[in-house]
Amino acid sequence: MDDFLAARSQMALSLGFHIIFSCIGMVMPFFMAVAHYFWLRTQDITYKNVTRAWSKGVAIFFATGAVSGTVLSFELGLLWPRFMEHAGPIFGMPFSLEGTAFFIEAIALGFFLYGWDRFNPWFHWFTGVVVGISGLASGILVVAANAWMNSPAGFDYVNGQYLNIDPIAAMFNDAWLSQALHMTLAAFAATGFAVAGVHALMLRRGRNTGFHTRAFRIAAAFGAVAALLQPLSGDFSAKDVARRQPAKLAAMEAHFHTEKRAALVLGGLPNEDKQRVDYAIKIPGMLSFLAHGNFEQEVTGLDRIAPQNRPPVVVPHLAFQIMVGLGTLMMGIAAVYFLALWRKKQWLTSRWLLGLFVAATPAGFIAVEAGWTVTEVGRQPWIINGVMRTADAVTPMPGIAYSFYLFTAVYLSLSLVVVFLLYRQIRMVPQLYDVPAGTPEAAHA
Amino acid sequence: MDYVVIAYLYLAILLYLLLGGADFGAGIIELFTSRHNRRVTHETLYQAIGPIWEANHMWLIIAIVILFVGFPRIYSVMSVSLHIPLLLLLLGIIARGTAFVFRHYDAVHDRMQSVYATIFVYSSLVTPLFIGIIAGSALAGYVDPAAPDFLSAYVWSWLHWFGVAVGVFTVALCGYLASVYTIGEATTEADRLRFIRKTRLLIVVAFAAGALVFVAARYEGLPLARWIFGNLVGLTAIGLATISLGLLWYVLARGLTWLPRVLAGFQVTMILLAVGYAHFPSFIRLRNGPHLSLLEQLAPARTIEALGWALLLGSLFILPALGYLYYSFQHVSRPPSPEPEAALPGARTL
Ligand code: HDD
Ligand code: HEM
Ligand code: HEM
């Protein structure tokens, strides 16, 4: 494997790994806060058990998120030193604020995880909320840094020099809002569906119904609301991409030729040599509408982009189809769920509805990975869109392939251990939390 | 603002060494504790460290962010020339952080516990070793961005006796900090005496390791003694550190909790001050003389301004909260067990 490819793969692997843990770290505190709130309000011990059971799982995810994040802050330099040398001072603002957010999160987490029965219950509850808010803030900030790579702002690029740096303007770049919104919703949708799916599986097996029903309802409610909003925000993102990165839009839509009344290409296999898409369904005018809000408008194709500046097409296109497909599916499930809550209560306990959620367990996370693939691969060959090429940013150190193999092994084993631990947590639920509602705190030390 | 940012950089490094260092030290002590006493040592240390370990390690992230935002060239030179030790450091951080949490949050207590424990103690040793090697390499003057071949660019930049000696010294300091910290957390008199003995032993080890650093410096031709003792600040700092060490030895057996901790922290601060002062404003010495100076490698003024304000405002939130966290969880020797422990039927409980 050549070093450049190895560096890109290692970056992709590390980010793809971290994003799963960071989504959970951002969202689970809110689920716990809701369950915790119900416990404090109703004194229904099952809610306390749900909160505690979740918090143990979350502690594992947090630690893994924290170490993988620490790795990332070094990896930016280890793999892309030339990029960081110039970009650091420009897009560093969100990172320096993020430091504060992480810190507050880590402090609040200490209070929350170890604070049971030590503090005023509402103070303890509040520390859990602070974990959530600061996690969300750090997610938004780091996405702002990524958005700057897509839509560089806050400096003048003159003869290879980066002049008139304005870190605040860099932070509030053009892509910031759409990406932060879409990412935040994605975190809620993905985590909500994953957690709901696990509890739905337990419900279908008829285990600890009281416990799993309460947990399922909280997760499903968050996930479903986010999944309904997600396509709207995705549309906003797509319009944004059309405006600021026409090459990326063309790649993800496999739109080779500039045309008016451009067709939306559903599915299909792009053929980059022949500049066409095989086996696709085409809806005339739809792409023009989705990208620019008007069925007639011209949409820039890859033919307008200089060949050396064209992104790959197959990967972003397929990834985009996967994301949108799963997004539509999740939106459908969410709609059914709300219908059930509103009109068809008997559906709520039916095996088929739970089965839908079980089937959708990994959907959100697959969509997250796919979406980031669109964003990152679609930006190629640029690391800073239009300013610096990825190939010029890579470290001069040879042998990166070995470091990539090493990280692959590490992340693979970590994933296995995390899954193993999670499995054990879930298996312990009957022993730890199986108390008939109402008995005093039999289950907790 | 330049000096605000530089001060925060040193502050973050110092606090990482003190707090994160004590945290690494906990694992180091466990490694060198007889099987018989391991469980008590482990439990005493972790009741104390559990709630605060994530916060302790945030100082590393703060230091790295300050480096890449405020001193991008220094960050990039380090990332290239010290790639290999940084990579090994990262592997240590991953292994240690995850093993620490897994052993505490694994719902079942069975043989996996000893796997986590093994990973945890060895990575606690290796991680500070590489922190020391990296720090030593910043001073040693073998970092060479223009090196012609792989070995001198990426290996000899950090693999030298001075770096190794500083690494060993760092490990000893971490163990020392942790053992001083534990004394105040002991729950029985026997444990307390055991921790005190351990601390005394570690003071001797740290002293020996410190001497080793000077020997290694001599061997590599570095005038370390002149750097540190050749100016009033360094001389005073080391003098004060020595006096406080004597004081510490004297008060160790007195059953005090805070004074020994403060004294130990003070000593490490003084050592860092002496070294930092001798080198300021240089942050990395390059091969054949030139330096990467903190004052010359600053990012553009607008960035430093923004970074400085972010750090100042951030501390307004962080420091009180952090203080309250430490305050709340001090002396938790006999807390309500943080999580209900449970064993699967048939599983062996350690
Ligand atoms: C639960 C996850 C999820 C779901 C269901 C969707 N997305 Fe998404 N999408 C993401 C998760 C995601 C993401 C992983 O979070 C990305 C990567 C970068 C970003 O900001 O969000 C993303 C990026 C992303 C981009 C590129 C943004 C950029 O490069 O700035 C577009 C155009 C869309 N999405 C559009 C959609 C549409 C039209 C969807 C319709 C259903 C959709 N997404 C569902
Ligand atoms: C879109 C991408 C990202 C999102 C949404 C995100 C979000 C988060 C969140 C919410 C956390 C805290 C939760 C947890 O600890 O599990 C976290 C941890 C962390 N992230 Fe990321 N992150 C992203 C990418 C990155 C990148 C590119 C870096 C480094 C440059 C990074 C650095 C870190 C660090 C250092 C931590 C540890 C903080 C701690 O100890 O709590 N993250 N991330
Ligand atoms: C966590 C979600 C993210 C995922 C899954 C992700 C995914 C990827 C992928 C797949 C690549 C390789 C692209 C290629 O070379 O073809 C990549 C590259 C990269 N990403 Fe991201 N990314 C994420 C967020 C971020 C963030 C928040 C930042 C920075 C603030 C970032 C910085 C980079 C850099 C520096 C590269 C290498 C240069 C490049 O290939 O353009 N990424 N990422």
Side-chain angles (χ1 to χ4, degrees):
Chain A
M1 186 181 245
D2 88 69
D3 286 326
F4 178 46
L5 186 64
R8 290 165 62 184
S9 311
Q10 185 178 328
M11 195 71 202
L13 174 75
S14 310
L15 286 157
F17 183 81
H18 180 67
I19 192 71
I20 295 177
F21 296 88
S22 49
C23 283
I24 290 170
M26 281 191 278
V27 171
M28 282 307 287
F30 291 100
F31 294 4
M32 292 192 283
V34 172
H36 197 173
Y37 177 85
F38 283 131
W39 148 245
L40 291 176
R41 268 291 132 105
T42 63
Q43 296 294 310
D44 172 352
I45 187 84
T46 314
Y47 277 117
K48 182 176 186 184
N49 289 337
V50 169
T51 317
R52 294 194 75 148
W54 274 345
S55 76
K56 287 212 237 165
V58 165
I60 294 170
F61 278 89
F62 256 111
T64 316
V67 294
S68 58
T70 309
V71 170
L72 277 172
S73 44
F74 282 91
E75 253 177 353
L76 286 177
L78 292 178
L79 300 175
W80 316 103
R82 311 257 156 87
F83 163 65
M84 289 307 283
E85 197 170 329
H86 297 291
I90 312 173
F91 84 159
M93 198 57 207
F95 284 110
S96 34
L97 297 174
E98 191 198 15
T100 303
F102 281 149
F103 223 128
I104 291 174
E105 188 183 3
I107 295 171
L109 190 71
F111 277 114
F112 180 72
L113 289 181
Y114 291 81
W116 289 97
D117 308 323
R118 289 177 140 261
F119 299 105
N120 171 317
W122 286 105
F123 173 75
H124 182 230
W125 178 81
F126 174 72
T127 60
V129 177
V130 172
V131 176
I133 292 175
S134 46
L136 214 54
S138 42
I140 290 173
L141 287 164
V142 73
V143 170
N146 178 267
W148 177 84
M149 294 163 58
N150 284 325
S151 176
F155 65 100
D156 296 323
Y157 187 61
V158 190
N159 299 330
Q161 304 253 34
Y162 298 74
L163 304 174
N164 302 325
I165 290 175
D166 179 352
I168 308 290
M171 182 158 82
F172 295 105
N173 57 70
D174 267 355
W176 170 74
L177 185 62
S178 69
Q179 275 196 243
L181 181 68
H182 197 59
M183 177 69 234
T184 308
L185 287 173
F188 275 96
T191 312
F193 270 77
V195 175
V198 170
H199 291 290
L201 181 67
M202 293 298 144
L203 283 173
R204 268 173 67 102
R205 294 193 180 158
R207 300 249 181 88
N208 305 84
T209 329
F211 179 92
H212 289 299
T213 306
R214 287 170 177 77
F216 172 80
R217 296 236 167 127
I218 295 172
F222 274 102
V225 171
L228 281 183
L229 297 174
Q230 191 68 342
L232 289 177
S233 124
D235 179 52
F236 176 44
S237 284
K239 291 193 165 55
D240 216 44
V241 172
R243 193 166 45 77
R244 62 167 206 259
Q245 286 174 290
K248 182 193 276 183
L249 186 86
M252 72 198 207
E253 303 284 7
H255 184 57
F256 287 105
H257 306 287
T258 306
E259 59 188 8
K260 296 207 160 95
R261 236 183 117 67
L264 181 69
V265 178
L266 286 182
L269 195 64
N271 184 331
E272 290 183 53
D273 295 333
K274 303 228 166 75
Q275 305 260 310
R276 60 158 205 254
V277 190
D278 301 324
Y279 321 112
I281 303 168
K282 300 199 171 158
I283 310 176
M286 201 60 191
L287 181 58
S288 295
F289 177 71
L290 286 176
H292 300 291
N294 164 346
F295 286 98
E296 297 304 322
Q297 188 144 345
E298 180 175 277
V299 179
T300 310
L302 286 164
D303 54 358
R304 288 267 178 86
I305 312 289
Q308 74 277 16
N309 292 345
R310 283 184 203 161
V313 179
V314 179
V315 171
H317 181 67
L318 293 184
F320 188 64
Q321 304 299 308
I322 292 172
M323 169 173 61
V324 175
L326 289 172
T328 315
L329 181 83
M330 288 160 69
M331 183 179 67
I333 296 177
V336 173
Y337 184 65
F338 281 117
L339 186 64
L341 279 180
W342 180 44
R343 273 292 150 86
K344 308 269 183 190
K345 292 273 191 249
Q346 72 277 20
W347 289 5
L348 286 175
T349 47
S350 68
R351 286 181 67 78
W352 65 266
L353 185 74
L354 292 173
L356 279 181
F357 275 95
V358 174
T361 308
F365 280 106
I366 299 174
V368 165
E369 301 286 355
W372 278 104
T373 308
V374 173
T375 304
E376 304 288 293
V377 180
R379 185 183 60 239
Q380 302 307 315
W382 303 104
I383 189 167
I384 308 173
N385 191 30
V387 176
M388 183 192 277
R389 283 171 186 278
T390 313
D392 297 333
V394 71
T395 177
M397 186 169 118
I400 297 298
Y402 297 102
S403 121
F404 170 59
Y405 301 142
L406 199 66
F407 272 95
T408 310
V410 168
Y411 283 142
L412 213 62
S413 18
L414 265 185
S415 318
L416 290 178
V417 180
V418 168
V419 170
F420 167 73
L421 289 176
L422 218 59
Y423 168 74
R424 292 224 224 188
Q425 297 279 356
I426 293 166
R427 233 175 62 164
M428 287 309 290
V429 164
Q431 269 98 327
L432 290 177
Y433 304 113
D434 213 1
V435 272
T439 28
E441 317 209 0
H444 117 258
Chain B
M1 264 317 166
D2 298 1
Y3 284 95
V4 172
V5 171
I6 292 173
Y8 269 97
L9 177 63
Y10 279 113
L11 184 72
I13 294 174
L14 173 68
L15 289 174
Y16 183 58
L17 193 61
L18 288 179
L19 303 169
D23 209 20
F24 288 124
I28 298 171
I29 295 185
E30 198 178 321
L31 179 63
F32 292 109
T33 299
S34 66
R35 213 165 240 303
H36 176 64
N37 288 325
R38 249 191 207 178
R39 195 186 157 92
V40 183
T41 306
H42 156 169
E43 281 181 357
T44 316
L45 283 166
Y46 300 109
Q47 300 298 3
I49 283 172
I52 53 180
W53 80 272
E54 264 208 43
N56 287 344
H57 289 272
M58 289 308 301
W59 294 110
L60 176 64
I61 295 172
I62 303 282
I64 290 301
V65 169
I66 294 178
L67 269 185
F68 77 58
V69 179
F71 308 92
R73 181 153 161 75
I74 296 183
Y75 173 81
S76 110
V77 169
M78 283 182 79
S79 304
V80 174
S81 298
L82 304 175
H83 189 118
I84 295 170
L86 284 169
L87 190 78
L88 297 169
L89 169 69
L90 288 179
L91 292 177
I93 289 177
I94 299 179
R96 186 177 184 282
T98 49
F100 178 82
V101 169
F102 292 170
R103 94 201 285 206
H104 275 260
Y105 283 95
D106 192 342
V108 184
H109 280 234
D110 60 4
R111 260 173 324 204
M112 284 302 285
Q113 286 291 329
S114 70
V115 177
Y116 306 139
T118 309
I119 297 178
F120 175 73
V121 292
Y122 284 102
S123 51
S124 294
L125 184 76
V126 169
T127 313
L129 179 71
F130 280 102
I131 293 176
I133 289 181
I134 291 162
S137 305
L139 296 184
Y142 292 112
V143 171
D144 184 359
D149 59 299
F150 183 86
L151 285 177
S152 49
Y154 303 110
V155 178
W156 307 137
S157 53
W158 57 276
L159 194 60
H160 40 70
W161 290 114
F162 182 67
V164 174
V166 175
V168 172
F169 182 53
T170 312
V171 172
L173 280 186
C174 292
Y176 163 61
L177 285 171
S179 75
V180 172
Y181 188 80
T182 346
I183 298 174
E185 300 290 328
T187 45
T188 66
E189 188 58 20
D191 282 343
R192 207 170 66 82
L193 292 177
R194 197 161 56 76
F195 291 139
I196 290 174
R197 273 201 305 281
K198 186 134 277 168
T199 305
R200 293 222 161 106
L201 179 67
L202 276 161
I203 290 179
V204 176
V205 172
F207 226 93
L212 193 68
V213 173
F214 281 94
V215 174
R218 239 199 117 80
Y219 179 80
E220 302 281 356
L222 301 174
L224 185 65
R226 182 162 54 78
W227 286 341
I228 291 185
F229 300 114
N231 62 72
L232 203 58
V233 174
L235 208 57
T236 320
I238 297 297
L240 287 175
T242 315
I243 295 172
S244 70
L245 188 65
L247 202 61
L248 176 74
W249 191 282
Y250 177 70
V251 300
L252 260 188
R254 296 286 145 110
L256 301 171
T257 305
W258 278 101
L259 188 61
R261 290 181 187 175
V262 171
L263 288 173
F266 177 74
Q267 285 148 22
V268 176
T269 312
M270 286 300 119
I271 294 172
L272 209 66
L273 174 71
V275 180
Y277 182 82
H279 275 267
F280 188 80
S282 159
F283 199 75
I284 297 184
R285 260 182 92 226
L286 301 177
R287 192 176 206 94
N288 301 330
H291 296 266
L292 289 180
S293 149
L294 289 174
L295 291 174
E296 284 161 19
Q297 302 297 339
L298 280 166
R302 295 279 294 269
T303 301
I304 294 296
E305 195 79 12
L307 177 61
W309 280 113
L311 291 167
L312 288 170
L313 294 177
S315 352
L316 227 54
F317 288 101
I318 291 168
L319 294 179
L322 197 60
Y324 188 54
L325 182 75
Y326 289 139
Y327 170 79
S328 305
F329 287 101
Q330 62 170 332
H331 270 308
V332 288
S333 311
R334 279 276 169 266
S337 160
E339 296 300 332
E341 299 221 348
L344 275 184
R348 196 157 58 88
T349 308
L350 283 184

